[in-house]
Amino acid sequence: QVVLVESGGRLVQAGGSLRLSCAASGPTFDTYAMGWFRQAPGKEREAVATMTGGRSIISSDSVKGRFTISGDNAKKTVWLQMNDLKPEDTAVYYCHVVGLSRTRYGTWTDFDNWGQGTQVSVSS
């Protein structure tokens, strides 16, 4: 079972910065993609940014130029650097990882896991 642990969310003033971290751990596994989604109150979960195949993809137009995703595949860790935060960035941010994990029988199986979420609150 691949487990994701997120950290870094907190209350910050508008214009401030935060860095979210997500570390994946578990039995032998490899990842196709690691990224971040967010869900604001009363809204659907939306993709924010993804690392896949060594490329970084910012999925949300509202964060382009302000958020940057980076990762260390060897450490199975992904970070989301968020600058110039705005009140509309307030949401629970979820780490999402897709990959292959090795079972105890020696076979490989797909996994698609979510972190528990970390709250980011931006005050005006």
Side-chain angles (χ1 to χ4, degrees), residues 41-124:
K43 295 188 176 181
E44 293 187 353
R45 191 172 296 188
E46 66 167 343
V48 176
T50 302
M51 287 288 298
T52 181
R55 297 180 299 122
S56 61
I57 302 169
I58 300 297
S59 305
S60 173
D61 288 340
S62 65
V63 308
K64 285 181 179 177
R66 300 188 296 120
F67 290 12
T68 304
I69 188 170
S70 59
D72 185 329
N73 194 49
K75 295 182 179 180
K76 298 295 191 284
T77 301
V78 65
W79 299 275
L80 184 67
Q81 178 67 42
M82 305 185 293
N83 298 326
D84 189 24
L85 283 160
K86 305 177 185 298
E88 51 264 40
D89 294 318
T90 295
V92 178
Y93 285 70
Y94 296 92
C95 181
H96 179 236
V97 178
V98 178
L100 279 173
S101 65
R102 189 168 184 176
T103 72
R104 57 183 168 177
Y105 304 109
T107 58
W108 292 84
T109 185
D110 292 326
F111 69 87
D112 182 335
N113 290 5
W114 294 87
Q116 79 282 1
T118 185
Q119 176 70 48
V120 172
S121 299
V122 185
S123 62
S124 57

